[in-house]
Amino acid sequence: MKRMRLKRYKGNKNKIINKILVVLILLVISIVYIFKIFNEKALPQFISYSEIETKKIVSILVSSTITEEISNSISMEDLFITTKDSKGDIQSIDFNSREVNKILVNASKAVEQNLKYLEMGEIDKINLNNVLDDYDEDKLKKGVIYELPSGIIFNNTLLNNIFPKIPIKMNLIGNVFTKFNTDIKSYGINNAFIKVNINVEAEIKILMPFVSSNTKINVDIPIIMKIIEGNVPSYYFGGYLDTVVNE
């Protein structure tokens, strides 16, 4: 009798172990499948949405920084060196290299500093007339620039409040690069219309709990628009003028 009971016990034990192994194997297969679906369908959507929202807030911050801290201190007379002939026609338009370099250095420093403040959650140090009022202050102070609804993978807004939200953070990679983009064209009779932009380029690392990605931010911020009396010449010095149009 004892041998029969021992054999039954061992048989039942083996069956339980086999069932556990089958369940574990099925569980592993299910997890692998879920991760595969997530990587193929959900992850690209998360990355795409996170890039859109990151570019949005960074572009707002960059534009406001240039507009409020840089453009107000720029003088048209100091920035350009314009040479005219005896008739008053423009012979050449050149940039003041010293003034240009000073502006670009200051612009890079100001943008980089504010992006660092945003990254670290030190938004109280960003003095740009409440430019970030549309964002959650408490989250920004934690370094979270946006919370992405995980329900977006189902393309159903009703599910956005059911599923947990994914916090998005950012890190500035390297330095901020700035340069002038300028458009000059004839305006009316014997006039030239000059539009000067500061182009800001920065590389940002987007951080989420399960993935990170790099994206480039490229923003043109107009700082000067002015009409200068005199015909537009066919050449310009300095190498800063990207577009020259005679009409």
Side-chain angles (χ1 to χ4, degrees):
M1 292 293 293
K2 290 182 178 181
R3 291 182 178 178
M4 289 293 291
R5 289 178 180 175
L6 186 59
K7 288 181 179 180
R8 286 180 183 176
Y9 174 76
K10 288 183 177 180
N12 292 334
K13 186 178 180 180
N14 289 334
K15 288 180 181 179
I16 293 173
I17 293 174
N18 289 336
K19 289 180 179 180
I20 292 174
L21 288 175
V22 170
V23 171
L24 289 175
I25 291 172
L26 291 175
L27 182 61
V28 171
I29 293 174
S30 300
I31 292 174
V32 171
Y33 179 75
I34 290 172
F35 270 103
K36 181 180 178 182
I37 297 298
F38 178 81
N39 287 331
E40 290 178 353
K41 295 184 177 181
L43 192 58
Q45 290 191 56
F46 285 144
I47 293 175
S48 177
Y49 275 94
S50 65
E51 287 183 353
I52 291 172
E53 293 300 331
T54 301
K55 286 182 178 180
K56 181 180 177 181
I57 187 172
V58 170
S59 296
I60 291 172
L61 186 60
V62 167
S63 297
S64 298
T65 300
I66 296 298
T67 301
E68 296 190 27
E69 296 192 6
I70 303 300
S71 61
N72 291 336
S73 63
I74 296 177
S75 168
M76 184 74 177
E77 288 72 22
D78 293 336
L79 186 62
F80 288 105
I81 299 174
T82 304
T83 303
K84 297 182 180 181
D85 60 18
S86 58
K87 297 179 181 180
D89 293 335
I90 300 174
Q91 290 185 317
S92 65
I93 300 176
D94 195 6
F95 274 100
N96 185 331
S97 298
R98 179 178 297 178
E99 189 70 15
V100 165
N101 291 333
K102 183 176 71 175
I103 292 170
L104 293 181
V105 168
N106 291 338
S108 296
K109 287 182 178 179
V111 170
E112 188 172 331
Q113 185 63 73
N114 280 340
L115 288 177
K116 284 293 184 181
Y117 286 150
L118 180 64
E119 177 185 328
M120 300 301 294
E122 299 176 352
I123 60 171
D124 293 335
K125 296 180 179 180
I126 301 175
N127 300 316
L128 296 176
N129 294 328
N130 304 318
V131 69
L132 299 176
D133 274 358
D134 291 338
Y135 292 85
D136 191 311
E137 182 179 350
D138 293 333
K139 292 183 176 63
L140 289 177
K141 288 183 176 180
K142 296 177 182 178
V144 177
I145 61 174
Y146 189 75
E147 283 190 334
L148 188 66
S150 54
I152 61 173
I153 61 176
F154 301 103
N155 294 321
N156 189 330
T157 55
L158 296 176
L159 299 176
N160 287 344
N161 295 325
I162 298 176
F163 291 92
K165 294 184 177 181
I166 302 168
I168 299 175
K169 297 185 177 183
M170 56 143 282
N171 284 340
L172 176 64
I173 301 175
N175 297 321
V176 172
F177 298 96
T178 56
K179 65 179 180 181
F180 276 115
N181 287 336
T182 307
D183 178 25
I184 299 182
K185 59 184 178 182
S186 60
Y187 183 83
I189 300 175
N190 207 33
N191 295 319
F193 178 77
I194 299 179
K195 180 182 178 182
V196 181
N197 301 320
I198 289 185
N199 175 265
V200 180
E201 183 177 303
E203 188 170 1
I204 303 294
K205 179 181 285 294
I206 302 171
L207 302 173
M208 290 182 282
F210 43 81
V211 69
S212 65
S213 66
N214 293 355
T215 187
K216 283 189 177 181
I217 310 295
N218 197 299
V219 186
D220 279 327
I221 304 98
I223 57 171
I224 290 177
M225 288 182 286
K226 189 174 179 66
I227 297 175
I228 298 179
E229 294 182 359
N231 288 327
V232 181
S234 58
Y235 60 90
Y236 295 83
F237 299 114
Y240 292 100
L241 308 186
D242 290 346
T243 307
V244 179
V245 178
N246 288 305
E247 294 178 348

